Amino acid sequence: MRYLVAKDSREAVALLNTGEDARLLAGGTDVLVRMKLEGKTPDLLIDIKEISGFSDITTENGGFRIGAAVSGAEMGEHAALKAMWPGVVEAVELIGSTQVQGRATMVGNLCNGSPAADSVPAMMAAGAMARIEGPAGTRDVLVADLLEGPGKTKLGKAELVSSVFLPAGLPKAGDAYLRFIPRTEMDIAVASAAVSLVLDDNNTVAEASVVLGAVARTAVFVPNAAAALVGSKLEPEALSACAAACAAACSPIDDRRGTIEFRTKIAGVMATRAAKIAFRRAGGKL
Amino acid sequence: MKQDFKILGTRPIRPDGLDKVTGKAMFGADKSVTGMLHARILRSPHAHAEIVSINTAKAEALAGVKAVITGDDFADVENSATRYTMQNCMAQGRALYDGHAVAAVAAVSKAVAAEALKLIEVEYKTLPHVTDVDEAMLPGAPVLHEGVKARTLGDDVSGNTVGYYSFGHGDLETGFSEADEVIERTFKTAAVHQGYIEPHACLADLGGDGRGELWCSTQGHYMVREVCSEILHIDASQLRVTASEIGGGFGGKTTVFIEPVALKLSQKAGKPVKLVMSRDEVFRASGPTMSSSIDIKIGMTKAGKITGAHAKLRYQGGAFPYEMVMMGAMSAFAAYDLEHVQAEGWDVMTNRPKMISYRAPGAPMAVYAVESVVDELCQKLGLDPIDTRLLNAAREGTKSSYGPTFKAIGLVEALEAAKAHPHYSAPLAPNTGRGISCGFWFNFGGQVSVSMAINADGTVSLIEGNPDIGGSRASISMMAAEALGIEFDRVRTIVGDTASVGFSDVTDGSRVTFAVGIATIKAANAAIKEMCKRAAKIWDIDAEAVEWVDGAAQPTGHNAGDFPPMSLAEIAATSGKTGGPIAGHHEGAPDKAGVSFGVHMVDVEVDPETGFTSIKRYTAFQDVGKAIHPAYVEGQIQGGAAQGIGWALNEEYIYGEDGRLQNPGFLDYRIPVASDLPMIEAVIIEVPNPGHPFGVRGCGETSIVPPLAAVANGVAHAIGVRMFALPMSPPKILKVL
Amino acid sequence: MSKIHVTTQVNGDAVEFLCAPDETLLDVLRDRLNLTGAKEGCGTGDCGACSVTIDGRLVASCLVLGAEVEGSAIETVEGIGTADALHPLQRHLLEHAALQCGICTPGIVVAAKALLLQNPDPSEEETRYWLAGNLCRCTGYDKIIRAVLSAASELRGENA
């Protein structure tokens, strides 16, 4: 294996395009674990942390652009970002231990392609856009449109995600992310939910987005669950309709972390609990 | 028995502490020597397979590879138990479980060793496998080894059933006929791992002349020496084994997994070889504890008297013959004074790694099942769980369910302390339940050697042969200082290598503070006798006319008051002129370890929407005889409780249909993390053990026995439904809600 | 694989080493620099025994490549406290008997020090969550948490 430090994204793209088995290294908390467990290394490991801007959180059009090499800990320490998108930040901060937080990146969590990735539902619910650099130049796509299946994204050959843009938060808006794990820490999500809400002047839900993680081949929007919340103040009927819509949207697997039955049951629980947190963050009262 | 102690019961800083908080302490993987090779082991991906052939030619040809070995490199040994141990370290003919070693490489670097493993070609012919205990017992199940079935068993069980035991007395039919309520239940518990954070590691150097040095992380370096010298066909005297600092064991390091392999590679390569397991290897190929399938039947009167009790324990212990269900059968009903009782047990082989001890091996699952049924009976009959246990509690004079009559024991005291504790009367929040369970462990004595030198400057050097797994050098130094009547920091205890002090059994069975303690006191007494003799010589009086008081010799009888007391330091200072060095030593095999009982109380909250259980409050009461260093005693109680909580809630070996382990890592083998637990209050009860001069009982193991049922009973009360299988992971709980 | 030359700082000292491109920082520390205080309990970032800081940031050194630390400042347990002048965390861990086998202790010292630098007055819950990635199998965490909280208190000047 060769280890190279890319100086700019063009170089990183060129290195990805050599035809070798190349992988990107940002926080390394997925790629290095995989190398260890699988006992094999790629031909080329491209460190992208030195690329200008990749380690920055910058304001843009009232929102935030998060570079591909920004760690979870850095996001958690960014007060303005946390105030605007608390759900996204809390999702990123749930990835692994404090030690892992020191390195793991949100973009890496996205590109790893796990259906259980914590940050992905939160980014989707926030309407996050990924900036993609590739041989054909730069393009922006919704995070949701990048997902393909377990371990896969829709990134093309030699493409990389250089940053994620979180749009400006609206007034009376709130987001939240919750996951279920068997312990209180150190586990992979068994089922998770991100909810983003915008309230009207009466504190009624005007807009909603509900995304589930770990219950399908990718994180999924649940439009019916969102629709159940719109027009409500999270009354019990609205919440149970939301939960039922979540259950209906699940197509999970049985594995060592949870059963189909269990994941289906708790997806709605996570969604309704996250909805309540988002509602409060948006200024609503329960 | 001595009661007024100067040093026992205090909390000095442990002597090895500084090295451990500064990173200086040398654990198994921390030692390196020049010219050392790195070894790796190739492991079977199959649950059960015939090894048709192994071609190592390509690996041997790789630059930097210095030795490759397979099972063929190991000559047979006479002793069948040692042969099984050897074949567990390196398969011969058949791979018996996922992770079973089939070949090993030593090379100039870790990277080359890893590369070489990929070049070894193994042809396997897969065979039918079985990993579940009940399936493995069925006639027709794939049998791991022929000809080892327990002789007393018939055709109704398979050849995997290698042991059968029965303990008890009275007549069960009579017992159950006297009951107002009889409950019969079947339980299952998953296999769990000790989960020590330090993987197995060793550094071996074995020359062509049969002389060897071995550094390893082990609970017993004499055991390592005996087993390895037998497997390698060398003299025990020629193999010096040094125990590193040990990064946790809990029973899991009471056998060998890699040491014979490293020695053989070193012998073949002619160079020192370092071999360290990965975490994945630890889970797949060390020795987890047994899984179980258990039937319990208990009868009780309306007043709460247990009239009859019957346990049938079926334990799964992996790929080689083993004996451990006996401990479960003996422990199951130990807490109770019963007229009609029987506990039976079956040891069963499966295609899993061979079990090894895990803290009170065999007891937790048996007691979990018994205490669950006792709790259910109390619930059904509307009885207080502590009063009911007090009514039936074993006490001094009780003929135990496994035979012996108990001497002074502290179960009643522990139950009474639990009942009086504010925890027991604290109000419970919604969705919360309180669980209680008793627990028991035998504690061992065993062979021990201690050598104590009185140095000319008045300090004491003590060498003992038991690896210090949790602070025993502190407690041994304390007992030496107490016995000699000197300050704690005048004594330095070290764990000697196999060439520096006599044989010592493995650090297990909660035996070290008890047995090494007795040997230390006897060694001190020998040194004291000699010091009195020296003082007598200086004073020119009879040796019998000198006694040892508060760390000094003083004249007694008609010489009393003739001379001022002469301290240890004063006697030591002149020892060169009064007859040479002063020392004491003791070799022996003390028994009378004194059993230990505990009672645990836990409040658990269950989330009715997710089945998630959180531990809200935990209090553990345990009779430890005499707490030498109370902080480390509390630590033993707290640590065992935490392990038991993990066993109850989330820890399990998960096997797929293919017989492969699906969770060989700390990510999915879920031991409790700091945020999972509350503070664990440890309440020390001291009912002195009459078998120890200071009243010491073992205290390390009992604490893992009660948590399983305590948590299960708490969950049953929280959700109103009883679970019959461990772990009670959230999917299982939510399913019954 | 050709080796990579790395210049870095470890515990305040300038250090240079050669490492393979796929060699972890943990292996570099242990095998090349003879700093064996950081332990490998899992190699996959699940146990915290290999905790170190890089430029003040707490990480698992098993999930960092040696090649990545060019120009960084690394602190390991060997850089915290000395026999004569222990860090209060180390002293409180000893006084509370907060270690049994001691294999997790170096990681706990490094991780807890990072916690107290960031949050001098953590609650019990914050401490437990911060240390959730530092597995201890011996103690049930009780005495570790108490030791960290009382060291924090001393560092704040409350019980000196």
Side-chain angles (χ1 to χ4, degrees), chain B residues 11-14 16-18 20-27 29-32 38 110-111 192-199 245-248 250 274 277-280 358-359 468-471 629-632 634-636 638-640 642-643 646 651 665-667 669 671-681, chain C residues 1 20 22 26-27 30-31 34-44 46-49 76-84 86-87 89-91 93-106 109 124-125 127-147 149:
Chain B
R11 301 178 178 225
I13 302 292
R14 62 194 286 170
D16 55 321
L18 183 69
K20 286 186 172 164
V21 297
T22 55
K24 204 174 147 197
M26 297 280 284
F27 290 86
D30 295 340
K31 185 163 172 153
S32 295
H38 294 271
K110 290 178 190 172
V192 296
H193 195 273
Q194 299 84 358
Y196 35 82
I197 308 299
E198 180 201 29
E245 292 297 331
I246 176 172
F250 315 104
K274 184 168 179 171
M277 269 193 180
S278 66
R279 178 53 55 183
D280 167 278
Y358 177 24
R359 207 168 200 157
D468 175 356
I469 203 161
H629 191 307
Y632 284 100
E634 290 160 5
Q636 289 295 323
Q638 291 161 337
Q643 288 184 318
E651 293 181 33
F666 281 133
L667 181 61
Y669 184 86
I671 75 171
V673 302
S675 49
D676 290 340
L677 299 173
M679 292 299 181
I680 296 169
E681 187 183 349
Chain C
M1 276 192 288
D22 61 348
L26 177 61
D27 280 346
R30 292 178 54 82
D31 299 343
N34 294 318
L35 294 170
T36 56
K39 311 296 179 189
E40 179 165 320
C42 69
T44 51
D46 296 310
C47 79
T76 72
V77 69
E78 287 93 344
I80 302 175
T82 61
D84 302 332
L86 285 177
H87 187 280
L89 271 165
Q90 293 167 315
R91 206 176 60 248
L93 285 164
L94 288 177
E95 286 168 359
H96 280 80
L99 51 141
Q100 284 172 33
C101 80
I103 192 90
C104 74
T105 310
V109 169
E124 180 189 332
E125 190 181 17
T127 307
R128 286 186 181 276
Y129 275 89
W130 181 277
L131 293 177
N134 289 85
L135 301 182
C136 168
R137 190 59 157 170
C138 293
T139 65
Y141 305 103
D142 183 302
K143 293 181 188 299
I144 292 173
I145 302 298
R146 287 179 201 277
L149 293 175

Side-chain angles (χ1 to χ4, degrees), chain B residues 609-631:
Chain B
E609 290 186 315
T610 64
F612 182 88
T613 301
S614 44
I615 307 293
K616 308 306 285 186
R617 185 171 182 179
Y618 204 104
T619 313
F621 308 83
Q622 188 176 319
D623 169 29
V624 303
K626 172 67 195 170
I628 303 297
H629 191 307

Side-chain angles (χ1 to χ4, degrees), chain B residues 535-582:
Chain B
K537 194 171 175 183
I538 292 165
W539 291 328
D540 197 20
I541 61 177
D542 284 347
E544 288 71 37
V546 179
E547 61 176 3
W548 191 258
V549 180
D550 287 337
Q554 60 183 44
T556 181
H558 65 269
N559 298 108
D562 289 356
F563 308 97
M566 190 178 285
S567 71
L568 179 144
E570 289 169 301
I571 296 169
T574 60
S575 59
K577 292 172 193 153
T578 59
I582 301 170

